[in-house]
Amino acid sequence: MLRAGEIPIVEDGLSELVKNGLASGNLEFVLGAAHAAKDCEFAFLCVPTPEGEDGQADLRYVEQAAKELAPVMPHESVVINKSTVPVGSTRVVERVMKRPDVRVVSNPEFLREGSAVHDFLHPDRVVVGADDQTAALRVAALYENINAPVVVTDASSAETIKYAANAFLATKISFVNAIAAICEGVGADVRDVMRGIGYDRRIGNEFLRPGPGWGGSCFPKDTLALLKIAERADYRFDLLQGVVEVNLQQFDRMASRISQAAGEGGTVAVWGLTFKALTDDLRDSPSLEIIDRLIAKGHSIRAYDPTVAKSLRGYPAVVVCDSEIAACEKSDVLAILTEWENFRWVDPSDVIHHVASRHVVDTRNLLDRSAWRTAGFTYQGVGR
Ligand code: UDX
């Protein structure tokens, strides 16, 4: 598929980029790390580092790739680690490779799914970490056409930056979700509160959207991995532990809200299954966390997501529908779990004749609240 320029995931702009690379001859896909790295000056390791059994990052793919590269990398070449790895892993790669003439450099990525191409070409910063500063500067030079500050550090600092950035962003969102809960109790609107604090440049106005809780392939595994790293560094990271707990609480709170609106054994129409919009990634999706809880409470689920066709693997009981309206058929509550833009434009008067009861729980504050209320629905958002 890759050789034909076909990208098996939803990622804006990636297919065009790969097709252009193939057409110009700058990009080629081959089998095997050794085959790819033969005669190269730089080799990027971009393999997954899934969560191991005890929450620590599982380094087996990194080690495997390093082993394959070791015999073929030319003298004085550089291996660049882009995978999110525990602090100290640059040395693990060096140890596995046993090639003192090859430098290992850490160069974490901060791409978001859904805007990965844009984020790569327009990063806020580039981080390059190595104990050999000459090697770090050689890697920094690869980014000379990209307009962003380059932060050159030692290897351990670069590895720590990646975890600290993700944990900080997760902290921001858990904080917002906690403030949202307070707003509901005191009659404030969290969106105004976030606007009011976001203009403070020390706080910044991004990553302040309340929601069903954070998920995806990075935040959940990276926060747990950082807790493990802290433990090994002999520090009790109570703050980050709290951030993770607030997130679990948020799944529980949203599931209870939806369950109550549905009534006992009621059918829930779910709009959105992916962990956020503009991706087809279901890994650690808050939507699935909430569906798990709803199923445990005895609800039936009818779901629609623009990127999920037919069935949801691992969820035989969830009926996957082919449109927003079909998901609402005879449902007792409509739950918005992912912020797909299309959902915003569905006319509530088209939905009315399909539902059994008129209730909406909008965990993304996506819909036009007054339009749905005018159409006769009860509407609950988050933090409003
Ligand atoms: C994240 C980091 O942003 C990125 O820098 C890193 O390289 C990989 O991990 P990603 O997992 O693609 O990227 O998703 P992101 O956009 O950060 O969203 C993560 C989760 O937080 C999603 O579930 C999203 O819905 C949620 N979120 C995000 C909120 O609930 N509110 C916000 O304001 C922002």
Side-chain angles (χ1 to χ4, degrees):
M1 284 178 80
L2 291 171
R3 280 180 177 157
E6 288 169 33
I7 299 297
I9 55 166
V10 173
E11 191 58 66
D12 192 32
L14 188 56
S15 172
E16 292 78 358
L17 200 65
V18 167
K19 283 195 178 112
N20 289 344
L22 290 168
S24 66
N26 283 335
L27 176 64
E28 189 191 344
F29 292 102
V30 295
L31 278 180
H35 191 175
K38 195 162 48 82
D39 307 326
C40 72
E41 187 181 348
F42 299 98
F44 282 93
L45 293 185
C46 311
V47 297
T49 47
E51 189 182 315
E53 267 163 31
D54 54 356
Q56 283 191 47
D58 178 347
L59 285 183
R60 105 179 72 156
Y61 302 106
V62 174
E63 289 177 14
Q64 181 60 36
K67 256 187 217 143
E68 285 181 45
L69 293 180
V72 300
M73 291 294 289
H75 184 61
E76 292 296 328
S77 57
V78 182
V79 172
I80 305 165
N81 192 12
K82 269 215 169 284
S83 304
T84 303
V85 289
V87 181
S89 301
T90 302
R91 292 215 181 83
V92 171
V93 174
E94 280 166 356
R95 255 203 314 275
V96 171
M97 289 194 50
K98 296 196 192 82
R99 285 280 308 268
D101 62 319
V102 172
R103 307 279 167 263
V104 184
V105 174
S106 164
N107 174 215
E109 55 83 12
F110 303 97
L111 315 178
R112 288 160 304 172
E113 289 183 33
S115 53
V117 173
H118 177 272
D119 291 354
F120 181 81
L121 295 173
H122 307 277
D124 287 343
R125 78 313 205 174
V126 172
V127 173
V128 182
D131 297 332
D132 173 343
Q133 293 295 288
T134 313
L137 293 176
R138 276 170 72 198
V139 173
L142 293 174
Y143 291 92
E144 70 187 4
N145 289 333
I146 284 183
N147 182 18
V150 179
V151 182
V152 177
T153 68
D154 59 84
S156 301
S157 301
E159 289 162 344
T160 307
I161 286 169
K162 172 69 194 205
Y163 283 106
N166 274 353
F168 190 82
L169 293 170
T171 304
K172 252 184 138 174
I173 305 168
S174 277
F175 183 83
V176 172
N177 284 335
I179 295 289
I182 295 170
C183 286
E184 288 166 12
V186 300
D189 187 327
V190 72
R191 295 170 325 149
D192 291 336
V193 174
M194 290 308 135
R195 256 184 331 135
I197 69 169
Y199 278 116
D200 186 327
R201 273 173 298 171
R202 294 168 303 174
I203 295 173
N205 53 24
E206 284 187 60
F207 272 66
L208 290 184
R209 286 189 320 275
W214 40 263
S217 65
C218 288
F219 286 0
K221 93 175 158 62
D222 290 350
T223 44
L224 291 185
L226 185 55
L227 283 171
K228 278 282 163 200
I229 293 169
E231 202 179 298
R232 265 180 288 138
D234 205 18
Y235 175 67
R236 247 185 51 192
F237 203 162
D238 290 342
L239 174 63
L240 188 58
Q241 190 69 51
V243 166
V244 171
E245 270 158 33
V246 167
N247 201 44
L248 295 174
Q249 251 178 40
Q250 190 70 357
F251 298 149
D252 291 340
R253 290 181 65 240
M254 293 302 116
S256 301
R257 184 164 299 178
I258 296 163
S259 175
Q260 257 170 27
E264 208 174 321
T267 298
V268 180
V270 164
W271 288 0
L273 294 168
T274 52
F275 82 98
K276 64 176 189 181
L278 301 177
T279 171
D280 57 351
D281 199 343
L282 295 165
R283 285 176 291 173
D284 281 310
S285 171
S287 182
L288 300 183
E289 289 280 352
I290 290 170
I291 286 174
D292 282 335
R293 285 161 176 76
L294 292 171
I295 290 174
K297 287 176 197 280
H299 296 284
S300 319
I301 314 284
R302 296 176 62 81
Y304 170 70
D305 186 285
T307 66
V308 180
K310 294 196 185 103
S311 65
L312 190 56
R313 206 188 307 159
Y315 290 82
V318 172
V319 179
V320 176
C321 305
D322 58 8
S323 71
E324 289 92 341
I325 304 280
C328 290
E329 205 59 54
K330 299 200 173 55
S331 66
D332 298 291
V333 61
L334 166 59
I336 315 299
L337 299 183
T338 312
E339 74 284 23
W340 286 102
E341 190 63 17
N342 287 359
F343 299 162
R344 198 194 289 269
W345 308 114
V346 176
D347 186 340
S349 57
D350 292 338
V351 176
I352 280 176
H353 310 291
H354 297 268
V355 294
S357 325
R358 299 179 187 180
H359 301 294
V360 175
V361 176
D362 183 357
T363 70
R364 300 278 186 173
N365 292 335
L366 181 75
L367 305 184
D368 176 348
R369 173 168 77 173
S370 52
W372 285 78
R373 284 191 176 153
T374 308
F377 285 83
T378 71
Y379 174 99
Q380 296 178 76
V382 189
R384 307 170 73 185

